[in-house]
Amino acid sequence: GTLLIILVGHMVTIATAMALAEIAPNQKVEGGGEYFIISRSFGINIGASIGLALFLSQAISVAFYIIAFAEAFDALKPWIATTFGYEIYDNRIFSIPALLMLIFLMVSKGADMGVKALYFVVTILVISLIFFFLGTTDYSETINKSAILANRPSDISIFYVFAIIFPAFTGMTAGVGLSGDLRDPKKSIPLGTLSATIIGMIIYVFIAYKLAVSASSEDLVNDQLIMSKIAIWGPIIPMGLAAATLSSAIGSFMVAPRTLQAIGADDVFPSTNVNNWISKGLALTNEPRNATIITSIIALIFVMMGDVNAVAEIISMFFMVTYGSLCLISFFQHFSGDPSYRPTFKSKWYISLLGAILSK
């Protein structure tokens, strides 16, 4: 079941990455990334409808990753209870301050700070993965590895689990959302989206295998931080979880305001004043501060919900709509006969069609 979820999820994201790699080099992809591509292919009316869903998915993703970020503090709860005599039952005591700090940094510093922070958190994430893969357990010494593909019965539908897991496969489009800030989008977008998708899939498969041979199914179900008991140094895993979720939150926080800014620049909203206010950027950098404020409000509302699974189900739906649209654009372009459509990278029409069908 785990391998099936990884496979199906990446069948969608790889098809989307290939569609983006095909479309992006054929045109100057401006601010808004995916929204820009969709609106210039399907027209502003359809593009705006999908673009608003895309923006919501990106803005709500900030909340999703911050809620998950708070899960990393579960390892500190026993120490807090012992040291201060205070039992913590609600992770919002961590997630809300974390989001407010992130909002302050993004509004005051902008995407430049976000990119610099990513280097630090990604380094921690890589180290935590290395420590995890180098670790071993008593269970791994005795398990019959031929049984790891055995079916594990569960009362939870695989489609429900897929809806919760799918947002973890979606980070590869962050570069497209930042297209207006890239030095060479035509080169960076195809290389970045394809390499991120393929590397991510490989890492997920190896993590699933490592978990299956290192811990029993009961431990996997009951211990959210089981990876810390497998790693050669356990404390690195909560740090890696914090780094992974924080890097994803920063990525979504950089992309979402730019999508909304591009929507406002196309005069999508009924009010001219609203469009001008949303699309307005800082004088020198065009940093979308006003759009960042709106993104912050939406993220804060969903963080206060506190249920990571409920938030994941919502954003999965929005991402599927966007990815299906991108695959359809690539599919139609193969048969449109448009003489100006001359991409340097060409996907296959049947791969784009498969991605569109799976997304729907």
Side-chain angles (χ1 to χ4, degrees):
T2 302
L3 291 177
L4 181 62
I5 288 173
I6 294 172
L7 175 63
V8 174
H10 283 88
M11 286 173 69
V12 174
T13 55
I14 288 176
T16 305
M18 293 182 70
L20 285 170
E22 177 184 67
I23 298 168
N26 194 67
Q27 56 181 292
K28 185 179 185 298
V29 181
E30 298 179 2
E34 294 156 286
Y35 162 73
F36 182 86
I37 293 173
I38 294 170
S39 61
R40 292 333 182 248
S41 301
F42 285 156
I44 295 296
N45 290 335
I46 296 176
S49 300
I50 299 172
L52 287 171
L54 171 64
F55 163 69
L56 287 173
S57 68
Q58 293 167 342
I60 298 171
S61 289
V62 178
F64 170 75
Y65 294 123
I66 289 296
I67 294 171
F69 170 78
E71 299 288 337
F73 290 88
D74 281 352
L76 292 179
K77 288 181 180 179
W79 177 79
I80 294 174
T82 303
T83 306
F84 301 101
Y86 181 73
E87 294 282 349
I88 297 176
Y89 300 100
D90 192 340
N91 279 348
R92 282 176 288 190
I93 198 171
F94 303 116
S95 60
I96 292 177
L99 177 60
L100 292 175
M101 184 176 296
L102 182 59
I103 289 171
F104 171 76
L105 292 174
M106 293 304 297
V107 171
S108 60
K109 302 296 183 181
D112 184 57
M113 181 283 303
V115 171
K116 291 177 180 177
L118 285 177
Y119 288 109
F120 173 72
V121 295
V122 167
T123 300
I124 296 176
L125 177 58
V126 170
I127 293 172
S128 67
L129 283 174
I130 293 173
F131 278 39
F132 168 67
F133 284 118
L134 291 177
T136 186
T137 61
D138 293 337
Y139 182 86
S140 63
E141 302 295 331
T142 59
I143 184 177
N144 177 11
K145 294 185 179 180
S146 63
I148 64 172
L149 292 178
N151 183 50
R152 307 288 182 180
S154 174
D155 297 331
I156 302 175
S157 166
I158 193 171
F159 297 104
Y160 175 78
V161 178
F162 179 85
I164 294 172
I165 294 297
F166 186 73
F169 304 149
T170 60
M172 54 46 171
T173 60
V176 186
L178 290 168
S179 55
D181 300 84
L182 296 175
R183 183 182 297 110
D184 187 4
K186 289 187 176 183
K187 179 180 179 181
S188 300
I189 290 174
L191 178 62
T193 52
L194 284 172
S195 59
T197 306
I198 294 171
I199 292 172
M201 180 179 68
I202 293 171
I203 291 174
Y204 279 130
V205 170
F206 276 102
I207 288 176
Y209 173 79
K210 180 67 175 178
L211 288 171
V213 299
S214 300
S216 67
S217 56
E218 290 76 18
D219 289 335
L220 294 175
V221 169
N222 297 317
D223 189 349
Q224 289 196 100
L225 293 176
I226 187 65
M227 293 175 73
S228 63
K229 296 179 180 177
I230 300 172
I232 57 175
W233 187 58
I236 194 66
I237 296 302
M239 295 168 61
L241 172 60
T245 51
L246 187 60
S247 66
S248 298
I250 292 172
S252 296
F253 221 140
M254 290 191 296
V255 170
R258 283 160 175 76
T259 300
L260 184 60
Q261 183 184 40
I263 293 172
D266 285 338
D267 295 328
V268 168
F269 298 103
S271 171
T272 302
N273 291 333
V274 171
N275 286 315
N276 291 338
W277 188 80
I278 290 175
S279 61
K280 184 178 180 181
L282 297 183
L284 297 177
T285 60
N286 198 34
E287 189 74 29
R289 179 168 293 177
N290 295 339
T292 301
I293 294 172
I294 296 176
T295 302
S296 303
I297 294 171
I298 294 173
L300 186 59
I301 291 171
F302 279 88
V303 163
M304 293 179 71
M305 288 175 57
D307 188 344
V308 68
N309 291 348
V311 174
E313 292 178 68
I314 295 171
I315 60 178
S316 290
M317 175 181 63
F318 288 139
F319 274 122
M320 284 292 191
V321 171
T322 304
Y323 289 2
S325 301
L326 291 168
C327 289
L328 275 178
I329 292 170
S330 173
F331 172 71
F332 289 146
Q333 289 286 13
H334 280 90
F335 301 99
S336 66
D338 184 358
S340 65
Y341 190 71
R342 299 176 182 176
T344 54
F345 174 91
K346 273 202 117 174
S347 178
K348 302 295 184 181
W349 67 265
Y350 48 84
I351 295 178
S352 298
L353 179 60
L354 177 63
I357 292 172
L358 289 174
S359 297
K360 303 305 178 187

